[in-house]
Amino acid sequence: MHPEEISKLADEIVFSFTNKHLTDLQSNVLKASCENMTYEDFAESFGYNVDYVRKDIGFQLWKLLSQALKEKVNKKNFRQALQRYQQNHRVLQTQEEQKRRDWGSAPDASLFFGRSWEIATLKQWIVQEKHRLVGIVGISGVGKTHLSVRLGKGGIGKTDLSVKLAKGIQDEFDYLIWRSLRNAPPFEQILLDLIKFLSNQRDNKLNKGIDAQLRQLLGYLQDNRCLLILDNVESILQADKQAGHYRQGYEEYGELFRQVGECSHNSCLLLTSREKPKNIQRFDKIKPVRFLELRGLDYLEGQKIFAEIGDFHADDDEWRTLIEFYDGNPLALELAAHHINEVFYGNISQFLAHGKQVFGDIRELLDWHFQRLSEHEQEIMYWLAINTEAVTLSELTADILSDDAKKQVTLTLQSLKSRIPLEISVIDKKPSFGLQPVLVEYMTNKLIENIYEEIKTSEISLLNKYALLKASAKSYERETQVRLIIKPLIQTLTNEFENQDNLIIQLNKILSKLKKEFYLKPGYVGGNIINLLCHLQVNLKGYDFSYLSIWQAYLQGINLHQVNFAYSSIAKSVFTQIFGSITPIVFSKDGENLAVGDSLGNVYVWKRLVVYNFCFVKYTMVG
């Protein structure tokens, strides 16, 4: 540091400690010391008595700095002491800033192309004009080709744009928090999450009533300049009804959006969605509310995606034709680039002549890519779709069935990343992997189609390899799996078998087959059958699941009286009754009763009703 910088830093430190600045003479002594000037030289140059400079000015200066820095400071070590303070101060400042930034599961947006006009417009709305609610929404769906409609306004890059924008303007805000609504979390959960973060974890509970809760949040938005980002808002909107209407049970989100847009505060709520929520459409351009319809990349921006993948050959007209054919959709362009690079060796002219008619739809592009994936890569794609949220390497490995695939997860992910655009984020300092919503939809539909065929024909493969529902997942993730996988599958099967009774008969036939072919075999098929039966509201009394793997069965609230789980593996399944780790275990002499004590101080007794079949009878431990 230069003498002027050192003097300024020392003055700031002393002022924060004493509320007084350094004197001019103290400052000059400090600067002279930086130049290795002795007290004698300083006294002679400035016309002071040397003892006065050494004993009064110098001594008091080092004493003051020692007290402020809480370490011994003298003429020899003051530089190192001030540098240590500066480094520590920067670390603490960084840590404090990190406490006010919560990126959740936001994906890495380092590879981001174009959108300069969109970023400039959004910055203008949020930073300069200080709009209270801003939305990034998908294109209107009336593009020149059928592709626009089939894409469902997905894959256009709304999420990446929100992250790129927020990274660039985060210093304008006291607090920043990014959250995804992809799994449609309950309103109270998101609201409490926001309030806890904005209160620095001091406010840990919600007030009673929606109005009081929103006042609670708005108070923080008024006291500080906050940027709240909610991604994938379309997940809380009705899919098959009139656009923009909220799903049942999610109407309170609409009230949040309305009040944030209407009430006076210093903050901004940034939404991304495939469509505008109905109740705030009317605010656009009237109140401090703005919506940006995100269209496709232009042909120059689209070319940058291709440049990251390989060498391509085309003239300007061919580039324009290709980019416009896919409406500038970043996901479609990336998939097309991999296909053209591998099949046509980068020759875009040949693709336009021979491949455009075959790969005009994103589903066809995805089919081609999926078919070329290895078995292990396909397995990871299915699991990323089932999990719906980004998962860590260890979580993904735990899901996978075969030992061989488990060992190769890291290598498989590296290979998959070069073929399919994965969303990579950092959660709790661990890299996490997920799929874009369009890819989740594609893989979910593919899973349902394959499972439907297996149940119809009783030929089981994927039904044992993948869990249709994860009992161990968070409640809102599990509800998403029910909504996106279980219910559509049951509806498709009910249509095939004409009614639910016939479907139940077919599932029971499969269950009988499992007893022969999947005897003590690891896998998810037993849990999947139970979950399907439970969602069909079948009474399980008398069912025999003995000698089967019952993985990821969600049995909370299910009556299991006289259900046989003898010798079953019930890994990761959830039951109504939860107890602590088992300590003692004792059988009665006649073998009819089994007593268990747990670490919580409870005693449980199972009475055998049929061979190896126990029902719960709980006794409270005395003494």
Side-chain angles (χ1 to χ4, degrees), residues 69-181:
L69 294 173
K70 295 181 174 58
E71 65 171 290
K72 182 67 174 177
V73 177
N74 54 44
K75 196 172 187 295
K76 294 181 179 180
N77 73 352
F78 72 92
R79 289 187 188 86
Q80 293 85 347
L82 289 171
Q83 287 173 349
R84 280 194 295 273
Y85 170 85
Q86 190 176 48
Q87 290 170 355
N88 293 335
H89 185 69
R90 284 174 179 169
V91 170
L92 292 172
Q93 194 173 30
T94 301
Q95 291 174 344
E96 185 61 30
E97 288 174 356
Q98 289 175 344
K99 288 179 183 177
R100 293 169 177 250
R101 303 287 181 265
D102 186 343
W103 291 98
S105 59
D108 175 29
S110 55
L111 285 177
F112 185 85
F113 304 105
R115 304 296 193 196
S116 56
W117 178 84
E118 289 88 345
I119 288 176
T121 300
L122 291 165
K123 280 185 178 179
Q124 175 72 24
W125 289 349
I126 295 172
V127 177
Q128 276 79 43
E129 299 176 11
K130 296 188 176 180
H131 290 298
R132 297 191 285 255
L133 190 147
V134 173
I136 305 172
V137 295
I139 56 178
S140 300
V142 291
K144 296 177 182 178
T145 71
H146 67 288
L147 181 68
S148 297
V149 179
R150 292 294 298 274
L151 281 173
K153 309 172 200 171
I156 198 70
K158 299 181 295 296
T159 297
D160 284 350
L161 177 58
S162 75
V163 175
K164 184 70 174 180
L165 170 71
K167 293 282 187 182
I169 63 175
Q170 59 180 319
D171 291 341
E172 302 289 336
F173 295 89
D174 302 317
Y175 292 88
L176 182 149
I177 182 169
W178 190 100
R179 286 293 181 268
S180 173
L181 302 186

Side-chain angles (χ1 to χ4, degrees), residues 119 425 572:
I119 288 176
S425 54
K572 301 177 184 177

Side-chain angles (χ1 to χ4, degrees), residues 432-487:
S432 300
F433 305 89
L435 297 176
Q436 293 185 29
V438 172
L439 295 176
V440 171
E441 292 168 17
Y442 171 80
M443 292 304 303
T444 300
N445 290 334
K446 197 165 194 67
L447 179 65
I448 291 172
E449 290 168 6
N450 288 328
I451 298 298
Y452 160 78
E453 287 294 331
E454 291 187 5
I455 291 177
K456 187 174 75 169
T457 60
S458 299
E459 297 297 324
I460 304 305
S461 176
L462 298 189
L463 193 60
N464 190 55
K465 201 171 183 180
Y466 305 104
L468 304 180
L469 177 153
K470 290 185 66 174
S472 57
K474 300 171 186 174
S475 59
Y476 64 86
E477 290 180 280
R478 190 171 58 250
E479 289 167 5
T480 299
Q481 290 160 351
V482 170
R483 177 170 57 89
L484 297 182
I485 301 175
I486 297 291
K487 287 185 176 179

